[in-house]
Amino acid sequence: MTTSTRPSPSPTAAAAAETPMSVAVVTLGCARNEVDSEELAGRLEAGGFVLVAEPADADTVLVNTCGFVEAAKKDSVDTLLEAADLKQHGKTQAVVAVGCLAERYGKDLAESMPEADAVLGFDDYPDIAAKLRSIVAGETHHAHTPSDRRRLLPISPVDRDASAISMPGHADNRATDEIGQGAPATGPRVVRRRLDSGPMAPLKLASGCDRRCSFCAIPSFRGSFVSRRPSDVLQEAQWLATQDIKELFLVSENSTSYGKDLGDLRLLETMLPELAAIEGIARVRVSYLQPAETRPGLIEAIADTPGVVPYFDLSFQHASATVLRRMRRFGDPDSFLDLLARIRTLSPLAGVRSNVIVGFPGETEDDLQTLCDFLEAARMDVTGVFGYSDEDGTEAATYDAKLDEDEVRARTEHVTGLVEELNAQRAEERIGETVSVLVESEEDGVAEGRAEHQGPEVDGTTTLEGVAGFAIGDLVTATVVATDGVDLIAAPLTDSGDQA
C-alpha cells in the first residue's frame, strides 16, 4: 500500500496550495486508462488545478502509464523521460507517474527512474490534487511496495464490497463535492472531466479480472473483478450525452462478467437498451468479450438491440486446444467457429475482431497451423497479432519449452502477413454494403470516421468521398465503394450528415 508523509503544512506548501497550478494529463495504453485519466482530471480540476493540453505548458505533468507488455512499458518510460526533460527547458516543476506501470512496480520504478518526482499508486487517486501539490512543494512521497490487489477483496464475487478501496474509474457519482468545473449545474454529474473533444467516449463497466490466464499479469495489479453499479454507469452515460458524445464505448477487462458480483449476470443485457435510449446517444458499442462466457442472451442483446452496434470483440488468443489449455483458457476451432456462426445467423454483417498470441511456450508447428486454419475460416474484420514474451509474475514465465526470440518473431511475422491479407479480403467483401459512419475528423472537405463494425483506434476507418459539408459527430449513411487494407471508402447517400 502507498504511504506518504503528512507533516503540518510548511510555508512553502501553504503558498503552493493558494497558487493556481496547471497540469497536463498524458494517457498511454487502453481505453480503460482514458477513463481513469478523465476521472483524475475531474478530481484535479475540483482541487483547483487548471488543465492544459500540452505538457510544455504545464506546471506539473501526470503520466498515466501502461504496464501491459514490454513495448507498452518502454513507451511509458520514454514518455516520462520526455516529460522530465521539460523541467530543464520549460515551466514544468514536477513529473509524476500514475497508472498500471506505477501500480505494478511502485518503489522499483521510483528507484529506477529518479527523473520522475513521484510514483503514485491507485490508492493515491482519491487524494490526487493534494498529492500533486505536496510533490511540487518538495515534500517526499514514498512509492508503494507492489502487492497482489486480488487479495484486497473476497474470493467470492457476491461478497465483494469495493467501497473501502480505490478503484480507478469507479468514482462515486453521488460525491458531488468532488465534481470539477466541467459538470453542468443541473442534471447528471460525475467525477470526470473530458480530455478529448471527439464524439466517442469510453465508459467503464467494471475493473479487474477473475480469470487466471497464464500469460497475463493484469489481475495482479488491477485486482479482482468488480462491476460498477448500473445506476453509476447510466448516470455517467447521461452526462457524456451532455458533452456531445454520440457513441458510448463500454470497456472493462471482461465485459461478459458484468453483474456477476452484483447477483445478476444478465445485467448487461438489461442495461444495453437503457444506454441506447439516452437522448443524444446514437450508438453503443461493447468491448472485450470472453468467448467461453459469451452466452446466447448477450449475443442476442448486442445483435438485436436498436442503437447497439453488432460488434463482437472476442478474445480468442489462439485456436489450438493444447495451447489454450496451457494458457489457462478454454476453446478450440470448432467451438469458436460455432460461436461466430451463431453471431452471423443473428447479424450477418456483424463486425468481429480478436487478438492472438503467437509463439507461446510449447506451441508446435501443428498448433500454429491450427491457428492459421482457424483464422482463414473465421473471416474476422481485424485480428491483432502479438508475439509471446515473458511477463513478470505470470505462470507462463515459468514454463519450459520456450521458443527462441527469432522463432517467435518469424511466426509472428508469418501470422501478421496472413491476417493482413485476410482482413483486407474481409473489407473487400463489404463493398456494396450500406454503412452508418460516425464522422470523427474533417479536413479540407474530406470526412473520416468509423462504420458500425469498426471499433475505436484499432479497427480501421471509413473515408467519405465526393461530398463536403459533414461535421464531426454527424452520422452519415453511405455505400462502401472501395477499400485500402482494412480501411473503407464510402459514398454518402445524402448531401449532408444526419445529426444524432
Side-chain angles (χ1 to χ4, degrees), residues 435 437 439 441 445-451 454 460-467 470 478-482 484 487-492:
V435 293
V437 181
V439 177
S441 67
V446 177
E448 185 177 274
R450 290 178 295 107
Q454 296 172 318
T461 61
T462 299
T463 299
L464 298 170
E465 67 166 19
V467 181
F470 296 117
T479 301
V480 179
V481 296
D484 181 7
D487 297 327
L488 305 181
I489 300 168

Side-chain angles (χ1 to χ4, degrees), residues 224-450:
S224 299
F225 184 87
V226 176
S227 303
R228 297 182 69 195
R229 292 189 302 260
S231 58
D232 282 350
V233 176
L234 289 165
Q235 185 173 359
E236 189 163 325
Q238 291 164 355
W239 176 78
L240 287 169
T242 71
Q243 307 295 301
D244 295 326
I245 295 303
K246 305 300 182 184
E247 178 178 315
L248 299 175
F249 185 41
L250 306 185
V251 299
S252 72
E253 275 78 19
N254 179 4
S255 298
T256 37
S257 282
Y258 180 74
K260 72 175 185 179
D261 51 322
L262 301 177
D264 185 355
L265 193 56
R266 290 181 53 83
L267 273 180
L268 184 55
E269 288 97 305
T270 58
M271 189 167 62
L272 284 174
E274 296 182 72
L275 289 167
I278 293 172
E279 184 177 357
I281 298 300
R283 62 194 193 187
V284 177
R285 185 183 304 275
V286 184
S287 73
Y288 214 81
L289 307 173
Q290 288 289 344
E293 299 178 33
T294 304
R295 52 202 174 270
L298 182 57
I299 295 173
E300 293 169 7
I302 294 174
D304 293 340
T305 303
V308 176
V309 294
Y311 173 84
F312 293 83
D313 176 13
L314 295 161
S315 174
F316 289 125
Q317 301 300 351
H318 210 279
S320 163
T322 303
V323 174
L324 287 165
R325 282 195 297 271
R326 287 174 66 83
M327 289 179 168
R328 304 296 182 202
R329 297 178 66 84
F330 305 94
D332 54 49
D334 288 342
S335 65
F336 290 165
L337 291 173
D338 179 66
L339 173 60
L340 293 174
R342 282 185 280 138
I343 288 169
R344 287 167 174 154
T345 297
L346 290 172
S347 180
L349 303 182
V352 180
R353 71 144 6 251
S354 190
N355 294 317
V356 296
I357 297 173
V358 178
F360 193 78
E363 181 191 67
T364 66
E365 291 187 5
D366 285 344
D367 293 326
L368 184 66
Q369 188 59 50
T370 296
L371 173 61
C372 292
D373 291 345
F374 165 72
L375 292 171
E376 291 183 11
R379 294 174 50 250
M380 291 186 285
D381 292 277
V382 175
T383 308
V385 182
F386 296 87
Y388 172 81
S389 62
D390 286 340
E391 280 298 314
D392 297 337
T394 62
E395 180 184 351
T398 69
Y399 284 176
D400 55 9
K402 297 256 178 68
L403 282 67
D404 65 46
E405 291 184 7
D406 289 342
E407 180 62 21
V408 172
R409 186 179 305 110
R411 293 187 181 193
T412 303
E413 290 174 354
H414 172 70
V415 177
T416 298
L418 173 64
V419 301
E420 286 178 351
E421 180 180 350
L422 293 172
N423 294 163
Q425 290 174 2
R426 179 71 186 112
E428 289 175 358
E429 291 175 4
R430 292 191 180 275
I431 293 177
E433 285 183 15
T434 299
V435 293
S436 176
V437 181
L438 176 65
V439 177
E440 295 187 305
S441 67
E442 191 280 333
E443 186 174 358
D444 298 329
V446 177
E448 185 177 274
R450 290 178 295 107

